[in-house]
Amino acid sequence: MEKWSLMTITVLLALTVRWTVSLGSYSGAGKPPMYGDYEAQRHWQEVTYNLPIRQWYFNTSDNNLLYWGLDYPPLTAYHSFLCAYIAKLINPDWIALHTSRGYESQPHKLFMRTTVFVADLLVYVPAVILYCFSLKETSTKKKASISCVALCILLYPGLILIDHGHFQYPYSAMSLGFALWGVLFLSYDWDLLGSVAFCLAVNYKQMELYHSLPFFCYLLGKCFKKGLKGKGLALLTKIAGTVVVSFAVCWLPFCTDMEQIMQVLRRLFPIDRGLFEACMFSSPPPRLANIWCSLTVIVKIKNIVSPQTQLKLSFAVTFLSLLPTCVKLTIQPSLRGFKFALVSCALSFFLFSFQVHEKSILLVSLPVCLIINEIPFMATWFLLVSTFSMLPLLLKDGLLLPYAVTTPAFLSACLASFAIFEKTSAEDLQLKPFSLSLKGYVSWFKSFPKIVRSLFLLSVTLMGVLSLMSAAVPPPQRFPDLFPVSVSVISCLHFLLFLVYFNVVILWDSKNSRSQKKMS
């Protein structure tokens, strides 16, 4: 009873924070002609309610794809239709074809914010709660920590600011929520349900493909361990059939002819817009904390590398960065290794792939939240950096105050819940096997905890100062993008170090081998 009481208080606090953030500004408010992501969500409701399904993804006189054309998978479209149906009952003007463009009113804002809140409450929050209860705890003291883990996950400012501030709920409430359900089901060995949940995630937001390789390699590795001539083959067949059926159900209305399918795919993967749609190799440098944008500050890659070479280079680097983790997970499948692989693979995609958006870092942050109880110090550090990396976007949307409040609140929750500064030894950071392999070669490992704590404090101080300067100090006229570019480059350097760290933990982890033996 006590743990449920603590969890109830935790959830109520998290929901209160979300609702408070939603009372402020949102993306593109009062900024015609395109407005922002808020208008994109509203426009999708307008399109899906007023037009037949066969026209949702096609450019027509009633559906100008240049004006926030639908470019998410079918489940997003169905969700938009459901919201539009409710909106029609309340006020038809909200989704009137053509005339509702840029519609802004307090009642409509309340409605749109409520749709995000309800989606969070129905999909994401329950998954977080059940995941935390699934963590193996024994003592009464540790049971109380379940609520602490849930509190830290639910107070992660990045998701709150994007979903309830910036306003783009396809990230946490639905797609990340479904992905979390998939992880939860796999933790109970409910592989088919886990496959269904992840298929729903991919069919809600195509960027969930960042997590596809860990899901694939983990399940394939389980099949290998069971033997592909017996139970393993049966499990593989069931999983494959489940995936096919799940996708078929989601795509059924678009399977009337091949042109429908191809048009949806072209909208989901818009190669024609340019291989690096997010201006990855553009000038002036874009405000994205991945490797290509950071290199653009020094070298104008777009001017010296052809589009075809850009694609090949991006693919090659991404593939090579993913390969060690995926091979290890396939050979030694374990739930622990699976969760760490979700982090590593998603971070590799964010850093090295193309058509990346700054909000895609949230796809890395979710699995980091899932291991915050295992490596609280590094997880807290990463989640702080991931929120900081979106600072230019948050300032653009007028979310400085929510950012300035939720970020210290999250850090305080982690400090109180995990005492993170006391967990900086090589063993606490899961680096003991790696440190033993370097024994006799690296003498400074003895002072490693002190070094890590100092780096953390330096990092947090730097992020705090740069946040303050970005908000209050006008940039030099000669360098108008100085602050956003600095945010991107500093965040990218952090992410590269985190990628190395997570790969070291995965590749030197002996616990995976023991878990794999138990599984077989």
Side-chain angles (χ1 to χ4, degrees), residues 349-368:
F349 272 111
F350 177 81
L351 285 171
F352 305 120
S353 63
F354 59 92
Q355 292 189 351
V356 176
H357 197 282
E358 64 263 53
K359 291 174 287 188
S360 297
I361 194 62
L362 299 180
L363 293 158
V364 190
S365 299
L366 173 72
V368 172

Side-chain angles (χ1 to χ4, degrees), residues 201-437:
V202 173
N203 280 288
Y204 198 95
K205 176 68 175 174
Q206 64 268 39
M207 300 310 291
E208 270 298 328
L209 291 171
Y210 281 26
H211 299 146
S212 59
L213 283 176
F215 271 88
F216 174 79
C217 293
Y218 175 67
L219 291 173
L220 182 63
K222 288 187 69 173
C223 294
F224 283 155
K225 293 305 174 183
K226 291 178 179 292
L228 286 183
K229 292 184 178 180
K231 294 181 179 180
L233 180 60
L235 178 59
L236 181 62
T237 303
K238 291 177 182 178
I239 293 173
T242 299
V243 171
V244 170
V245 171
S246 299
F247 270 81
V249 171
C250 291
W251 285 68
L252 188 60
F254 302 96
C255 294
T256 54
D257 59 72
M258 185 57 65
E259 180 57 25
Q260 278 280 340
I261 297 175
M262 294 307 299
Q263 176 62 13
V264 176
L265 290 175
R266 281 192 291 267
R267 292 298 298 165
L268 301 187
F269 306 101
I271 302 299
D272 293 340
R273 297 184 192 175
L275 297 176
F276 301 93
E277 182 193 9
C279 303
M280 182 177 296
F281 296 117
S282 66
S283 178
R287 303 166 185 183
L288 174 64
N290 75 352
I291 189 64
W292 308 119
C293 295
S294 299
L295 288 176
T296 301
V297 176
I298 304 172
V299 181
K300 302 299 183 244
I301 301 177
K302 183 179 180 181
N303 298 333
I304 61 177
V305 179
S306 68
Q308 292 78 14
T309 305
Q310 292 172 15
L311 173 61
K312 294 176 183 177
L313 177 63
S314 176
F315 175 81
V317 176
T318 305
F319 176 76
L320 290 175
S321 66
L322 293 168
L323 189 60
T325 294
C326 291
V327 171
K328 175 74 178 289
L329 183 60
T330 305
I331 296 174
Q332 297 179 351
S334 70
L335 186 62
R336 170 187 161 81
F338 168 60
K339 289 189 286 188
F340 274 86
L342 286 171
V343 177
S344 177
C345 290
L347 187 52
S348 291
F349 272 111
F350 177 81
L351 285 171
F352 305 120
S353 63
F354 59 92
Q355 292 189 351
V356 176
H357 197 282
E358 64 263 53
K359 291 174 287 188
S360 297
I361 194 62
L362 299 180
L363 293 158
V364 190
S365 299
L366 173 72
V368 172
C369 287
L370 303 185
I371 57 176
I372 195 170
N373 63 309
E374 296 189 47
I375 48 168
F377 180 84
M378 295 301 285
T380 300
W381 192 356
F382 179 91
L383 294 173
L384 289 172
V385 176
S386 66
T387 304
F388 170 75
S389 72
M390 297 184 287
L391 180 62
L393 176 66
L394 300 176
L395 292 178
K396 179 183 176 183
D397 291 339
L399 295 172
L400 174 62
L401 180 59
Y403 167 77
V405 173
T406 57
T407 303
F410 169 75
L411 177 57
S412 300
C414 292
L415 288 170
S417 300
F418 301 110
I420 59 175
F421 287 116
E422 299 175 9
K423 299 180 179 180
T424 56
S425 67
E427 184 174 3
D428 290 325
L429 299 182
Q430 313 292 329
L431 292 174
K432 189 173 182 179
F434 178 69
S435 65
L436 291 176
S437 68

Side-chain angles (χ1 to χ4, degrees), residues 464-475:
V465 170
L466 195 49
S467 296
L468 184 61
M469 294 180 66
S470 298
V473 179

Side-chain angles (χ1 to χ4, degrees), residues 23 38 94 103-111:
L23 298 177
Y38 176 93
W94 292 351
Y103 192 101
E104 293 178 327
S105 70
Q106 284 302 317
H108 183 252
K109 178 183 175 181
L110 177 61
F111 168 76

